[in-house]
Amino acid sequence: METIRINGGRKLGGEIDIQGSKNAALPILAACVLVDGVSVIHNCPDLTDVSAAAEILCHLGCTVTRQGHTLTVDSRNISCYNIPTRLMSRMRSSIVFLGSILSRTGKAELCAPGGCEIGLRPIDLHLSALRSMGVAIDESQGTLYCYINDSIRSNVITLSFPSVGATENIMLAAVFAKGTTTILNAAREPEIGDLAAFLNRCGCKVKVSGGGTILIEGVKKAHSVEHTVIPDRIVTLTYMAATAAAGGDVLLKKTQPQHFLTVNHIFEKAGCNVNCTNNSVRITRNGRLRCVRDIRTMPYPGFPTDAQAPVMAMLCLAKGTSVMVENIFESRFKHVCELAKMGAKIKIEDKVALIDGVEALYGANVNAIDLRAGGSLAVAGVAAQGTTVIGSVHHIDRGYENIVECLRAIGADAERSDMDERFPG
Ligand code: EPZ
C-alpha cells in the first residue's frame, strides 16, 4: 500500500501556494452539466475527487480536458441521465449532480450515496426539497429514480439545517425553473458563493444574501463560461496547524483569509502569530502552544468541521486541556485512535473531545481513516519525534494536492513510498 513517511521534530519554514478548493470545484463541475457550451475552470485542484467528478461528466456525454490547473468541459452533448454505481461509490458528494442532471434532462437515475467514515450522511433534505419543486423521486433498492412530469417548479424552501449539499442541489435544480426559488436557512460557506458566481457567469440569476437566503430566478439556458475557483480554506488551515504543531514561520499564498477569520482567532489563542493580507497568511509559533477550551464546530462562519481533525492534532501538544465539540457529524473522531498511537492523550465523551496536551508526540505507523483524519496525521507527523508512516494515503489524495511536495516546501522531511510491508493490502 502507498504510504507517506515523515521524519518529524524540526521547525518548519518556507512558503506554499494554496490549491483551489475541492469543495468549490466539485459543485462547479456538477454545474457544468447545465451549460449548453464550454466551461473553462481555472485553479481546479488535481485531486482524485476531481478526477471522479470528471469521469461522471464524461459518462454523461461531456468531454473534459485538463491543462495544468485548468479544466475545460464541453457539455453541449449530454447523452444520458444516470450515474452508474461504480462512479457514485467513488465519491459520495456526487449526489450534487442530481440537481444539474434534472435541470438539463428532466430525469436522473443514481444510487443513494450512503454513509461514510464520518457519519450516515443522509440526503433527506435534498430529496424533500426537490420533491417540493415537483420532482418525482422513487427510491428502490438504493437507487433514486427521479423525473419531472412537466417542469421543475420554483418554490420557497426552508432548510431545517443549512446543509451545504442540499443548498447546492436546490440551486442547480432551480436555475431553469419557472419563477423564482427562495432558499431560507441556506448554507453560507464560501463554496456556495463560488458556485453562485459560476452560475451567474453562465447566465443564470442567483442572488446570495449574507443572512442565509438565496434567490434563484429561472432562466432559459446557461451559456459558455470561464471561472476561477476560490482557494481551499481547509487545506490552508491544515498547513497552519502543521506550522503551529511543529513550530516555525510559514507563509501560505494564493489563499483568502476572509474565508477563515474565525479560525485565525483560535490559532492566536493557542499562542501563534497570524498575519493576513487579502491573499496570504503568515503563521509563526515559537513558545509552547496553549490549550483552547471552547472550540465548537458549526456551520459557516463558525469553526469548520473539516478543520477539527487537523487542529486537534496541533492541540495535542498544547499546555493544558483543550476542549473540542463536534456538532456537525456524528462520528468524526476516528483520527483520535491514530493520534493516540503517537502518544496523544485524548478522551472522547459523546461529541466532546478532551485533549490533554503532552510534551511530545512520537512517530508511529498510523492509518488515514478518512480525508481530514489523514490531514491530522500529517500535522502530528511533522511535529512528532521520530518517523511516522501514514497508510491509506488515497484518502489524503482526495483533498490534498501534492501534500508531500507542499510539506517539503516548508522544510518537512517527508516522502511518499509505493509499497511498505507494514501496510499490506
Ligand atoms: C459538505 O458536505 C462538504 N463536502 C464536507 O466536506 C463538509 O464537512 C460539510 O459540507 C459541512 O461543511 C463537500 O462540499 C463535497 P452537509 P455535505 O450536507 O454537503 C446533515 C471534506 O472533508 N444532513 O452540510 O455532505 C449531515 O448528516 C468534506 O472536504 C442531513 O441530516 O454536508 C451532517 O450532519 C467532509 N440531511 C450535516 O447535515 C441531509 O439531507 C452537514 O451536512 C443533508 C445533510
Side-chain angles (χ1 to χ4, degrees):
M1 173 196 289
E2 205 173 19
T3 61
I4 292 174
R5 172 194 300 267
I6 302 173
N7 296 316
R10 57 167 79 174
K11 280 187 180 293
L12 300 180
E15 49 188 65
I16 297 173
D17 285 347
I18 294 297
Q19 71 184 60
S21 164
K22 168 180 82 76
N23 292 348
L26 294 177
I28 284 170
L29 288 170
C32 291
V33 173
L34 302 167
V35 173
D36 182 10
V38 176
S39 305
V40 178
I41 303 162
H42 301 296
N43 200 33
C44 191
D46 190 358
L47 303 165
T48 51
D49 269 12
V50 169
S51 303
E55 265 198 68
I56 291 172
L57 287 170
C58 293
H59 171 81
L60 295 172
C62 304
T63 57
V64 182
T65 54
R66 176 183 279 275
Q67 278 180 314
H69 287 114
T70 295
L71 230 54
T72 301
V73 181
D74 183 339
S75 47
R76 279 172 288 193
N77 306 310
I78 294 291
S79 52
C80 77
Y81 56 85
N82 77 312
I83 301 179
T85 303
R86 64 179 175 81
L87 291 179
M88 276 301 287
S89 57
R90 275 188 61 189
M91 180 182 62
R92 62 168 318 285
S93 52
S94 307
I95 189 67
V96 79
F97 276 87
L98 175 54
S100 55
I101 296 172
L102 277 170
S103 286
R104 184 72 187 268
T105 71
K107 46 192 171 185
E109 216 173 275
L110 41 85
C111 67
C116 69
E117 302 81 4
I118 63 175
L120 291 172
R121 311 298 291 276
I123 56 169
D124 55 310
L125 299 178
H126 298 238
L127 302 185
S128 56
L130 293 174
R131 284 183 169 120
S132 78
M133 298 168 78
V135 180
I137 302 175
D138 295 331
E139 300 175 67
S140 160
Q141 292 170 337
T143 299
L144 303 171
Y145 300 92
C146 313
Y147 52 95
I148 304 159
N149 285 321
D150 171 21
S151 66
I152 292 185
R153 281 197 312 265
S154 56
N155 202 344
V156 178
I157 298 160
T158 301
L159 288 173
S160 57
F161 180 87
S163 156
V164 172
T167 300
E168 291 163 349
N169 246 332
I170 298 165
M171 290 166 73
L172 297 175
V175 290
F176 300 149
K178 291 193 184 79
T180 297
T181 297
T182 302
I183 310 174
L184 300 174
N185 194 30
R188 296 160 56 184
E189 275 70 11
E191 294 77 27
I192 298 289
D194 206 29
L195 174 61
F198 174 87
L199 290 171
N200 287 328
R201 283 210 176 92
C202 60
C204 299
K205 291 182 179 171
V206 181
K207 189 171 177 306
V208 179
S209 81
T213 298
I214 299 177
L215 299 176
I216 306 106
E217 184 188 334
V219 296
K220 290 274 181 258
K221 64 182 284 192
H223 54 67
S224 295
V225 57
E226 186 158 6
H227 181 79
T228 299
V229 173
I230 58 172
D232 195 307
R233 59 196 170 102
I234 306 302
V235 168
T236 306
L237 292 169
T238 302
Y239 293 125
M240 288 175 72
T243 307
D249 180 350
V250 163
L251 175 64
L252 302 172
K253 302 188 297 180
K254 297 187 178 176
T255 188
Q256 277 187 269
Q258 72 267 25
H259 291 163
F260 49 88
L261 292 177
T262 50
V263 192
N264 285 345
H265 170 65
I266 301 291
F267 285 101
E268 288 166 339
K269 278 177 86 169
C272 300
N273 290 319
V274 178
N275 293 300
C276 296
T277 67
N278 65 339
N279 60 4
S280 73
V281 55
R282 180 175 175 187
I283 180 166
T284 54
R285 197 272 288 169
N286 292 312
R288 185 167 180 198
L289 285 172
R290 297 191 294 265
C291 64
V292 181
R293 296 181 185 283
D294 55 353
I295 300 177
R296 294 174 181 79
T297 65
M298 300 296 283
Y300 193 88
F303 185 95
T305 174
D306 294 346
Q308 180 254 104
V311 169
M312 181 186 285
M314 130 192 157
L315 293 172
C316 289
L317 289 161
K319 184 170 175 10
T321 301
S322 299
V323 182
M324 299 185 90
V325 185
E326 174 53 62
N327 291 310
I328 305 295
F329 289 106
E330 66 272 24
S331 57
R332 199 168 199 175
F333 285 139
K334 295 265 171 54
H335 45 287
V336 169
C337 51
E338 299 302 308
L339 291 171
K341 291 177 186 172
M342 301 175 71
K345 297 277 180 268
I346 305 167
K347 286 195 255 345
I348 301 297
E349 293 178 17
D350 190 18
K351 57 184 190 174
V352 179
L354 300 172
I355 303 116
D356 290 328
V358 294
E359 297 277 346
L361 293 174
Y362 301 94
N365 297 336
V366 289
N367 249 320
I369 309 283
D370 64 67
L371 167 56
R372 304 305 172 185
S376 79
L377 295 175
V379 170
V382 294
Q385 307 297 321
T387 300
T388 298
V389 181
I390 304 172
S392 305
V393 293
H394 60 279
H395 284 298
I396 298 177
D397 292 337
R398 287 187 45 221
Y400 293 94
E401 181 180 331
N402 295 333
I403 188 169
V404 168
E405 292 76 4
C406 289
L407 290 173
R408 293 166 71 91
I410 55 176
D413 177 2
E415 63 176 1
R416 187 182 284 259
S417 57
D418 285 342
M419 291 308 287
D420 189 307
E421 68 285 348
R422 282 165 291 190
F423 293 86

